[in-house]
Amino acid sequence: MLRRLRQSLRQLLVLMARRPQLFCGAIVLSILLILAIKFTCSRAREVVAPPRPPQRFFSPAAPVVDLYLGQLDQVERLRALAEVSLVFFYAPWCAHSTSARQEVQEVAWRLSRQVQFLAVNCWWSQGKCRKQKTFYHYPVIHLFYRRFGPIEYKGPLKASYVESFILRVITPLTYLPSRATLLHFLSHHQPSVVGFFQFSSSPQPRGYLIYLSSALQALKRDFRGAVRFGVVTSRQVADAISVSEDQTVYLHRHLNSSLIFPHWEQGFSSEAICSWVFQHRETVLRWLQPPAPKSRLLEQELTKGPALLLFLPHDPMRHDPDPLLMQVADVAMRYHSCPSRWGHYGLSQQPHSCCHSLVLPRPGHAPRVCDLCLVQSQRSNHARSSPCTLRFAATKSLVVATVEACSHVPSSYSDFGLYSACCRGLRPRVDPGVTLKQGTAPPALLEDCPSFQEGGGITGLLCRTNKTLRFYVLDSALHWPLAVRLGALGNGSGHETEAGLLGARGGPSFATIVSLKEEVHYVLDHRGSTSLTQSLEDFIRNFSAPYSPLQRQLVGEGGAGVSPTPGDHAPPSQDRPLIMELTTTTFLTAIMDPHKDVLLFYYTQWCGFCSSINHIIIQLARLLQTHTSITIARVNVARNDLPWEFMVDHIPSVLLLPRHRKHLSVKFPEDTPLTLPTLLRFILKHTGPAPSPRQPIRAPGSLRSEIQELHRARQRLANQLAVLWHENRRLALHSAALEEEEREEGEEGEGERERRVI
């Protein structure tokens, strides 16, 4: 192998010696190849432009120390010089940081004498903050109180909320110098904690700093300060809550017995006190603060059961109690006050009876109502009953009840109960201004238990119904778009809100009950009411009734909430559209027209297959445009709520509602291709006049006749085309034969001339 290589190299050298120009060309070519490879590799290197030096994020005049180089070590040094410090971690490119900058500056101007404000650029790659901290979102606000911290603020980035949170951290404890202030402190609906420490024995009692740290730990869990912490230093004041031992933590509860922190079991530490308070506290009214439009916080709360959502105007800087919020809290407190707890408040339990009414329609006769009343009483050997008071959902219709028969049945599962079953015949008596349709049932009865009337009407309703409500409050200024989506009117500016009790107290307000399990929600209609408490109680009572008279709120495009009925009529349109676009308001009016066949197309804006078959629906609408008895309509089910009986399980879907028999609606088969011929056959199969049991089936409708005539015309045209084709074929063959004859005659004439020449 080496011998062959040497021979090849020797031959190459001999050849290059004979031809010097070849030798010089090879050397130049090698140099060029080396230079090309060198320049190519040098250009392929990664070129990184140096980052721009960071600049100040806050204004130099603002009372905020802007560490725009990410000097995290300076934060520790400056924080040690102040009692309270707020650290604002930001990224210069973040839009949320930019919008929160003005809010933080506004708070800094007001609290610069009490709080030290620091801002750190935690995005610059060469800064220590970027290397030592890991944040998944910006901005991040940390608050430090002396050596305690950090306390992360997770509330809205608004100046009022941030300032309120800072003031709570500055004063985590409320001093209670007298019995009056103590009782006023405990009368609030929020959970209250009182610590008793005697400062007379020492300048700083043992355990006081731990109790102070527990109050700050509670602010870590809830930035709103849902649990209030107070401190008592006088033994005479502590006697009001039966506390005599020093270093005692007392949890006040309205609905159950108050508790004393068992420090001998869990140890006297801030984490133990905070966990114990949050575990045993009572919360009847909870604030909700979804951090973003796509937050799952609201969904997590709604999955727990039906919820009463109250959108109220809220000012975090308000020191005196909000009267509107106090009324709502009073209703929530009485709703949770079960009769079993009345003895704790010195109230006596009275026997009561609760009736449930059921309307039994009878064709051709007046309907009957059977009332099942459970009478709770003390143990006795004789039957005991109390009358059930009945009231009606409608105010313009009166129903006269006649008791036909009653029977008393002892309860099979309780020795303290008795069933009273009464059946009543009803005679509807209607005012002259009210018209009832034929076959319409009388107004639905509602139970009116005497126990419901105690304590304002809903006292203890939590323990007497299966529809347990949870009370939530949201700031209408922050979450009004959600209220509009649930059926509120107006844009939240305070000028176009609903008229009534809630909307007339300084801001837009709204109340609704949402049941995620049943996929329904109801809106409080408080227009015309004179009492907020009474209207809210009636709303809760009607929802808790076994046969609730509340109507499901339907929200359509534009956010307007409606409760449509088939009797509603929309203004007639002058121009008939090719395809009628339906909304929640116009849905029932359009599809329940007894004189028209309605073909309804369900779609959504995000359905790709719906868009791909739009041309088929348009072709069908153009084909049937001249037929006024057929309406082609469509509805966007993602933006319009519909009654349950008209919902579909998937999209796209096509539903046909024939005229004169809307109850016999037909859905387009799912296993059939959605094409124009199949749609036409589907319409022809299920449309036409309804057969009568006394009359023979009528002749097909005009559309069917016209379609059949079109089929016959098409057959005639096909026959004519076939005849024309045969005639054209015969003429073509005849012309070919003539041409052949002419060619043959021409050849014979040419041969004859040649013979003559010869």
Side-chain angles (χ1 to χ4, degrees):
M1 184 66 183
L2 293 176
R3 184 179 300 175
R4 291 181 182 179
L5 183 60
R6 291 175 182 175
Q7 292 178 358
S8 300
L9 183 60
R10 187 178 301 151
Q11 292 177 0
L12 180 62
L13 293 176
V14 172
L15 182 62
M16 294 178 63
R18 293 178 180 178
R19 297 180 180 180
Q21 63 274 13
L22 181 62
F23 177 72
C24 295
I27 293 176
V28 173
L29 184 61
S30 301
I31 294 174
L32 293 176
L33 181 61
I34 293 174
L35 292 176
I37 293 175
K38 180 179 179 180
F39 282 111
T40 303
C41 294
S42 63
R43 290 184 179 181
R45 293 178 181 176
E46 183 180 0
V47 179
V48 179
R52 295 180 180 180
Q55 300 177 357
R56 292 186 61 91
F57 189 69
F58 284 83
S59 172
V64 179
V65 180
D66 193 355
L67 303 175
Y68 57 91
L69 296 179
Q71 306 99 309
L72 199 60
D73 52 347
Q74 297 292 332
V75 174
E76 299 297 330
R77 183 181 64 83
L78 295 174
R79 188 170 62 83
L81 301 177
E83 185 177 7
V84 181
S85 301
L86 183 142
V87 184
F88 181 80
F89 298 97
Y90 67 89
W93 53 264
C94 177
H96 295 285
S97 300
T98 305
S99 62
R101 174 175 54 187
Q102 185 63 30
E103 305 293 335
V104 173
Q105 286 186 172
E106 183 179 346
V107 178
W109 282 111
R110 290 197 291 264
L111 301 179
S112 58
R113 296 183 178 180
Q114 299 172 302
V115 182
Q116 178 180 231
F117 289 84
L118 305 174
V120 184
N121 183 358
C122 218
W123 184 255
W124 194 45
S125 58
Q126 300 180 15
K128 290 186 178 180
C129 183
R130 177 70 180 274
K131 298 177 181 179
Q132 299 181 12
K133 295 287 185 180
T134 302
F135 295 122
Y136 298 97
H137 65 90
Y138 291 98
V140 176
I141 298 178
H142 285 174
L143 203 63
F144 295 87
Y145 180 83
R146 297 178 182 175
R147 298 181 180 179
F148 185 86
I151 306 174
E152 184 177 355
Y153 173 70
K154 300 180 181 180
L157 297 175
K158 300 294 181 181
S160 58
Y161 279 90
V162 175
E163 183 176 359
S164 175
F165 175 72
I166 295 175
L167 294 178
R168 287 194 182 95
V169 174
I170 294 176
T171 56
L173 300 178
T174 302
Y175 178 57
L176 307 173
S178 62
R179 288 198 173 194
T181 55
L182 174 61
L183 296 178
H184 179 73
F185 180 79
L186 299 179
S187 64
H188 201 269
H189 69 278
Q190 290 180 332
S192 303
V193 181
V194 178
F196 175 50
F197 301 92
Q198 296 189 55
F199 280 79
S200 58
S201 58
S202 62
Q204 184 172 308
R206 184 171 56 91
Y208 175 74
L209 290 181
I210 297 177
Y211 180 67
L212 176 65
S213 299
S214 65
L216 295 174
Q217 289 279 0
L219 289 176
K220 265 189 173 182
R221 299 194 179 191
D222 189 354
F223 72 95
R224 291 182 178 273
V227 180
R228 305 190 306 164
F229 285 76
V231 59
V232 173
T233 60
S234 173
R235 185 175 298 274
Q236 290 76 13
V237 178
D239 289 340
I241 53 176
S242 302
V243 172
S244 58
E245 184 180 354
D246 192 14
Q247 194 181 344
T248 300
V249 178
Y250 171 86
L251 174 61
H252 180 73
R253 301 195 297 181
H254 294 275
L255 305 178
N256 293 283
S257 301
S258 300
L259 301 176
I260 300 294
F261 176 67
H263 59 86
W264 56 89
E265 295 179 359
Q266 303 183 14
F268 201 83
S269 63
S270 59
E271 294 81 4
I273 294 175
C274 184
S275 301
W276 175 78
V277 168
F278 275 84
Q279 180 182 358
H280 297 88
R281 65 172 179 169
E282 292 177 341
T283 304
V284 297
L285 193 62
R286 180 180 175 185
W287 281 90
L288 279 184
Q289 183 63 49
K294 295 184 179 181
S295 171
R296 299 192 60 184
L297 173 63
L298 187 61
E299 179 186 358
Q300 294 173 0
E301 295 298 328
L302 293 180
T303 53
K304 298 178 181 179
L308 174 62
L309 302 181
L310 295 159
F311 296 82
L312 303 177
H314 178 61
D315 182 11
M317 297 303 299
R318 184 168 183 169
H319 300 287
D320 58 324
D322 188 0
L324 183 60
L325 184 61
M326 294 303 295
Q327 294 184 46
V328 174
D330 179 67
V331 173
M333 190 67 67
R334 287 188 283 109
Y335 176 82
H336 289 81
S337 299
C338 294
S340 59
R341 306 188 181 113
W342 289 353
H344 176 66
Y345 301 101
L347 301 177
S348 59
Q349 287 186 312
Q350 300 293 336
H352 62 275
S353 125
C354 184
C355 302
H356 298 270
S357 303
L358 178 63
V359 180
L360 302 177
R362 296 185 299 175
H365 300 82
R368 291 164 57 91
V369 170
C370 286
D371 301 330
L372 182 61
C373 301
L374 175 61
V375 183
Q376 295 182 358
S377 60
Q378 300 295 330
R379 184 186 299 270
S380 60
N381 297 326
H382 61 278
R384 180 176 181 179
S385 63
S386 62
C388 292
T389 305
L390 299 178
R391 62 186 180 90
F392 306 96
T395 57
K396 294 184 179 180
S397 302
L398 300 177
V399 178
V400 180
T402 304
V403 179
E404 295 183 359
C406 292
S407 59
H408 304 287
V409 183
S411 174
S412 59
Y413 56 86
S414 175
D415 295 335
F416 299 92
L418 182 74
Y419 282 130
S420 175
C422 305
C423 292
R424 306 157 183 255
L426 301 182
R427 273 189 304 109
R429 185 177 65 197
V430 186
D431 292 345
V434 180
T435 303
L436 292 178
K437 296 182 179 180
Q438 185 177 1
T440 303
L445 297 176
L446 304 178
E447 91 261 6
D448 194 2
C449 302
S451 60
F452 281 16
Q453 299 175 357
E454 299 176 3
I458 62 169
T459 302
L461 185 56
L462 170 70
C463 302
R464 291 183 282 108
T465 178
N466 291 330
K467 300 179 181 180
T468 304
L469 271 179
R470 290 173 171 83
F471 290 70
Y472 297 98
V473 184
L474 296 92
D475 190 351
S476 59
L478 301 176
H479 307 289
W480 190 251
L482 175 60
V484 172
R485 184 64 184 92
L486 292 173
L489 303 177
N491 55 9
S493 61
H495 301 288
E496 299 179 3
T497 56
E498 293 178 309
L501 294 170
L502 292 178
R505 295 184 180 266
S509 302
F510 177 69
T512 179
I513 294 178
V514 180
S515 178
L516 199 61
K517 182 180 180 180
E518 299 179 358
E519 297 185 8
V520 296
H521 74 280
Y522 310 98
V523 172
L524 171 60
D525 186 8
H526 47 71
R527 291 171 292 184
S529 180
T530 58
S531 173
L532 168 63
T533 303
Q534 187 61 38
S535 60
L536 191 59
E537 289 183 7
D538 292 341
F539 186 49
I540 298 173
R541 282 163 50 88
N542 289 333
F543 172 78
S544 304
Y547 305 98
S548 175
L550 299 178
Q551 292 185 351
R552 176 192 174 211
Q553 186 77 3
L554 303 180
V555 180
E557 288 187 285
V562 294
S563 297
T565 59
D568 298 338
H569 295 282
S573 177
Q574 300 295 335
D575 300 330
R576 183 172 180 264
L578 187 65
I579 299 178
M580 182 180 296
E581 186 73 28
L582 302 182
T583 62
T584 302
T585 309
T586 61
F587 181 78
L588 289 178
T589 305
I591 69 170
M592 298 306 291
D593 189 348
H595 304 291
K596 289 186 178 181
D597 299 313
V598 180
L599 185 73
L600 184 60
F601 175 58
Y602 293 85
Y603 78 101
T604 61
Q605 69 275 10
W606 46 262
C607 174
F609 188 63
C610 300
S611 302
S612 64
I613 63 176
N614 273 338
H615 67 283
I616 300 177
I617 305 299
I618 295 175
Q619 291 178 7
L620 178 66
R622 288 176 178 173
L623 181 62
L624 304 177
Q625 188 175 9
T626 58
H627 300 278
T628 58
S629 61
I630 294 183
T631 300
I632 307 297
R634 68 175 188 172
V635 59
N636 188 343
V637 293
R639 296 181 177 177
N640 297 276
D641 294 339
L642 303 179
W644 294 125
E645 59 269 23
F646 295 103
M647 289 299 294
V648 291
D649 54 357
H650 72 281
I651 53 173
S653 294
V654 178
L655 186 67
L656 178 65
L657 295 98
R659 53 180 172 177
H660 304 304
R661 53 184 190 278
K662 298 294 182 179
H663 61 287
L664 299 178
S665 59
V666 185
K667 186 179 179 182
F668 187 83
E670 299 178 5
D671 55 349
T672 304
L674 194 60
T675 60
L676 184 61
T678 56
L679 280 175
L680 283 174
R681 285 194 291 267
F682 175 70
I683 294 174
L684 292 175
K685 180 179 179 181
H686 299 286
T687 57
S692 175
R694 299 182 180 179
Q695 298 178 358
I697 300 178
R698 299 179 182 177
S702 59
L703 176 61
R704 186 182 297 273
S705 302
E706 292 182 6
I707 295 296
Q708 293 177 357
E709 185 64 28
L710 288 176
H711 283 298
R712 289 192 291 268
R714 185 184 63 177
Q715 188 65 31
R716 290 195 299 269
L717 181 60
N719 295 336
Q720 293 176 3
L721 289 176
V723 172
L724 291 176
W725 185 84
H726 287 292
E727 187 67 21
N728 185 32
R729 181 65 177 171
R730 186 183 64 80
L731 291 176
L733 293 176
H734 182 66
S735 60
L738 291 177
E739 291 178 357
E740 183 67 22
E741 291 178 359
E742 291 179 356
R743 186 176 61 79
E744 292 177 356
E745 291 178 357
E747 291 178 354
E748 292 177 358
E750 186 177 356
E752 185 66 25
R753 285 194 299 272
E754 290 178 355
R755 286 195 298 270
R756 289 179 182 179
V757 172
I758 294 174

